[in-house]
Amino acid sequence: MKCGEILGFLGPNGAGKTTTIRCLLDLIRPQAGTVRVLGIDPRKDPVAVRSRVGYLPGELNLEGNLTVEGVLRYFNDLRGRRVEWGYVRQLASRLDLNLSIPIKNLSKGNKQKVGLVQALMARPELLLLDEPTSGLDPLMQQEVYRLLREAQANGATVFFSSHVISEVEALADRVAIIREGVIVEEVEPGSLTDLSLRRIRVRFREPVDVKPLVELDGVSLVARDGREVTVQVEGEVDRLIKALAAFPVSDIQTQHLSLEEVFLAYYRVGEKEER
Amino acid sequence: MLAEFKHTLRRLRGPVVGWALGVALYGLLMALMFPSIKQIENLEEFMSLYPEEMTAFFENLYAMATPMGYLDVYFFAYMHLVIGILAISGGAGLLAADEERGILDLVLAHPVSRTGLFWGRFLGLAVALALILAAGWLSWVLPAGSVGFELTPFEILLPFLPLFAVLLFFAALALLLSMLVPAARSAGMLTGAVLVGNFLLIGLSNINDDLEPLMKFTPLYYYQGGLAVEGLEGSWLGGLLLAALLLAAVAWLLFLHRDIRVGGERSWVLPRIGRRFRLRQRG
């Protein structure tokens, strides 16, 4: 990773995103290979690594009996009380988080906000965030993106995992794609559009011959039911839309495929080509 | 380490207050009842009505009219079983319970070493147990003068020391087992079984002399109970404390060298050792 960049770590469930992050913090030990975080081997000096890192786990669990403030003060104690409490209040306010509520009474989204505040509050040099916007509503997701960009502007490096392509596109400077524990590709966020697959359902006013449509590059027929046709489009939809202009279309529905489905389609093709 | 120590005490605040109140109230009640037992003139004759096995099982029944015997029979003979519940559950859950709930993952992502976390928490548990015993001690010391309990505060303190040592031993055993068995509750149950089994065997060894040589290999053999009022066996006390520290040290080493789970219970360690061995052979 380059210092000061935001790296998106993209992969389907079980690809090894969380495992990688946990190795970086010496929570689990790799069976082979080496790890360096900010130039330090986390196995040799985990405390030095952790004092410069803010971490948000993918499965966030907190002590239910403490209040939000109690949990954050405990984490501040573990950091040697280095945290400026005014900044904690500012973060909580921006994320619309009430500090006096017991953790056990918080919704999943609000717990995620606690996780984000504790990761950011010490202004760490490196942020390791596992699915940072999980459980947050779209408006709050935007606020998190702003907070992370501000952290970057202040010199922090951000490493975040996600399985949401649009999130990685919106936030990352660079994207690493992981599959079965191996980085299979490093790409620019813009090129993720090429990776994205859409399923488009078109209803025509009258029966039509769809051959010109499915012969378009990157378009394949998924299903046909009377006057309704479902096609899968790889990359941009521009060609299909222009081709459809010549047809009597009554309705169009677009559906983005999940990352798992994209990976399944994308890498299955890759594997066949390799063979 | 200090942060974890303070946090452990904070978390144990509720149990400590509850247990301390319970132990103190019980101690106070028993202390206030001492004059009525002391006044029984033909206690030995009364005791002889009990089956011989029973008086042998509870060793000091005949000495019940003396402060030392009374303390032993009504408090120290089974207080290690009672407070042992807290010591064992505390030890078994000290790290494993947080790990099972997925809390440890985030705690250890902060600048705290595993060593600091481990010993900070262990020390916190030890202090929590000591605070409960201090409340128990006070419950005997405060009414001592008014009920004719002819023991000094220091003499009353003496049997609390082996009690603390034995509680720490079982807390450390539970902690060690929590590093080996799949779940905190399994570690607690196993340690509890060892404690209760040892208690019964010690009692039975008073009836059956053949058992006595075996008892030397069990921790409760070195627990003096109320007899410590007459003089503390320093080597027994030191041995129990040393054994507790040794168990805790082994648990610490295991904790240093293992992966932290995100949550849930894990599988048995022994099959994993076998798997590692097979992998090494293949490698």
Side-chain angles (χ1 to χ4, degrees):
Chain A
M1 269 192 83
K2 294 171 200 156
C3 275
E5 75 171 341
I6 299 183
L7 180 77
F9 203 42
L10 196 62
N13 291 335
K17 303 186 294 288
T18 301
T19 302
T20 307
I21 292 177
R22 299 184 82 237
C23 281
L24 299 178
L25 289 163
D26 192 42
L27 296 170
I28 54 174
R29 276 77 188 256
Q31 287 159 322
T34 53
V35 180
R36 288 285 181 283
V37 182
L38 301 164
I40 306 165
D41 180 350
R43 285 204 69 170
K44 286 188 180 149
D45 198 350
V47 177
V49 170
R50 293 174 198 153
S51 64
R52 296 164 70 184
V53 172
Y55 169 57
L56 172 71
E59 287 273 331
L60 181 65
N61 292 291
L62 302 160
E63 277 185 48
N65 290 331
L66 295 176
T67 60
V68 174
E69 182 163 346
V71 164
L72 295 174
R73 287 206 182 271
Y74 166 49
F75 289 143
N76 187 23
D77 283 350
L78 291 178
R79 289 195 177 274
R81 300 193 176 179
R82 284 194 297 123
V83 174
E84 185 195 322
W85 206 251
Y87 184 54
V88 174
R89 290 190 196 287
Q90 191 190 325
L91 286 171
S93 158
R94 284 182 65 176
L95 292 172
D96 197 17
L97 177 67
N98 186 339
L99 293 178
S100 59
I101 296 178
I103 295 290
K104 63 186 169 198
N105 295 343
L106 292 181
S107 64
K108 185 185 184 306
N110 278 325
K111 276 186 193 156
Q112 186 72 0
K113 292 177 190 174
V114 180
L116 282 160
V117 172
Q118 67 79 30
L120 289 160
M121 68 184 189
R123 301 180 199 267
E125 289 170 60
L126 173 64
L127 280 158
L128 298 176
L129 310 172
D130 198 351
E131 311 275 355
T133 58
S134 168
L136 298 181
D137 61 54
L139 281 177
M140 211 41 82
Q141 284 179 8
Q142 294 303 319
E143 188 61 36
V144 173
Y145 297 161
R146 274 192 287 276
L147 281 169
L148 295 182
R149 283 200 204 93
E150 283 170 24
Q152 182 191 28
N154 290 325
T157 305
V158 183
F159 179 92
F160 77 99
S161 80
S162 179
H163 67 274
V164 183
I165 291 182
S166 58
E167 177 170 283
V168 180
E169 263 183 323
L171 195 58
D173 298 326
R174 204 156 57 92
V175 183
I177 296 168
I178 183 171
R179 189 177 67 121
E180 290 173 15
V182 178
I183 291 184
V184 289
E185 216 161 321
E186 281 183 55
V187 294
E188 297 298 316
S191 58
L192 285 175
T193 315
D194 301 337
L195 264 183
S196 68
L197 284 178
R198 291 173 188 82
R199 209 160 270 174
I200 297 179
R201 190 183 296 163
V202 187
R203 189 179 296 144
F204 298 100
R205 276 201 301 271
E206 56 197 59
V208 295
D209 177 14
V210 293
K211 204 176 167 194
L213 295 176
V214 295
E215 279 177 350
L216 289 170
D217 196 20
V219 178
S220 53
L221 183 67
V222 175
R224 178 164 194 172
D225 183 14
R227 283 182 290 175
E228 200 172 276
V229 172
T230 305
V231 291
Q232 187 164 290
V233 183
E234 203 175 308
E236 292 183 358
V237 294
D238 185 60
R239 271 185 300 244
L240 179 70
I241 297 291
K242 281 174 180 160
L244 278 172
F247 289 81
V249 176
S250 68
D251 188 27
I252 293 184
Q253 284 181 325
T254 305
Q255 180 198 351
H256 274 272
L257 268 64
S258 71
L259 192 62
E260 279 70 29
E261 289 172 295
V262 171
F263 269 72
L264 213 61
Y266 187 76
Y267 288 106
R268 196 171 276 164
V269 171
E271 278 169 11
K272 278 178 191 164
E273 281 171 2
E274 275 171 30
R275 279 177 210 151
Chain B
M1 184 166 152
L2 185 66
E4 264 311 312
F5 168 71
K6 277 163 42 186
H7 183 65
T8 305
L9 274 184
R10 208 179 303 143
R11 286 172 90 182
L12 289 171
R13 195 171 41 192
V16 166
V17 170
W19 279 85
L21 273 175
V23 169
L25 281 174
Y26 173 78
L28 198 63
L29 191 69
M30 289 299 113
L32 293 174
M33 278 169 61
F34 178 65
S36 57
I37 299 288
K38 199 181 168 188
Q39 279 167 9
I40 301 173
E41 285 172 4
N42 46 354
L43 186 69
E44 279 197 25
E45 194 184 325
F46 180 66
M47 285 296 160
S48 65
L49 296 175
Y50 282 110
E52 196 182 327
E53 289 80 6
M54 190 180 161
T55 49
F57 192 95
F58 298 102
E59 260 181 310
N60 289 310
L61 282 180
Y62 284 105
M64 226 162 54
T66 66
M68 185 274 291
Y70 188 76
L71 254 185
D72 188 59
V73 171
Y74 281 99
F75 198 81
F76 288 101
Y78 49 84
M79 207 37 83
H80 54 297
L81 286 182
V82 178
I83 310 177
I85 297 168
L86 177 71
I88 289 171
S89 63
L94 203 61
L95 294 158
D98 273 3
E99 199 176 3
E100 284 163 19
R101 286 186 289 160
I103 294 173
L104 206 57
D105 190 54
L106 185 54
V107 171
L108 268 176
H110 284 81
V112 56
S113 65
R114 291 192 188 197
T115 299
L117 180 87
F118 182 96
W119 291 109
R121 289 194 174 194
F122 188 70
L123 194 63
L125 177 63
V127 170
L129 290 172
L131 287 172
I132 293 167
L133 295 188
W137 173 72
L138 278 175
S139 73
W140 287 95
V141 167
L142 293 177
S146 55
V147 298
F149 208 69
E150 293 145 356
L151 291 175
T152 63
F154 180 71
E155 283 172 324
I156 297 174
L157 177 70
L158 291 175
F160 279 93
L161 300 177
L163 177 58
F164 174 72
V166 90
L167 289 174
L168 201 64
F169 176 90
F170 281 99
L173 180 63
L175 177 58
L176 172 60
L177 287 175
S178 75
M179 295 290 133
L180 295 170
V181 300
R185 60 194 171 132
S186 313
M189 268 161 31
L190 274 171
T191 317
V194 171
L195 174 61
V196 173
N198 197 176
F199 172 78
L200 292 174
L201 280 172
I202 288 284
L204 289 173
S205 73
N206 295 331
I207 302 166
N208 184 347
D209 290 343
D210 293 343
L211 284 172
E212 189 157 354
L214 287 174
M215 290 304 100
K216 287 181 181 170
F217 299 100
T218 66
L220 290 188
Y221 179 84
Y222 302 96
Y223 170 59
Q224 274 187 285
L227 298 178
V229 169
E230 288 182 333
L232 199 61
E233 279 282 357
S235 58
W236 287 14
L237 176 69
L240 276 174
L241 287 172
L242 198 68
L245 283 177
L246 203 68
L247 291 173
V250 176
W252 165 63
L253 285 174
L254 288 171
F255 182 60
L256 280 187
H257 294 102
R258 73 186 182 85
D259 290 345
I260 304 297
R261 281 169 290 142
V262 182
E265 296 176 356
R266 65 197 163 111
S267 53
W268 288 90
V269 168
L270 291 177
R272 282 176 57 205
I273 291 169
R275 191 172 139 260
R276 273 183 201 164
F277 180 68
R278 285 195 297 278
L279 281 173
R280 208 168 283 168
Q281 277 192 325
R282 269 185 232 158

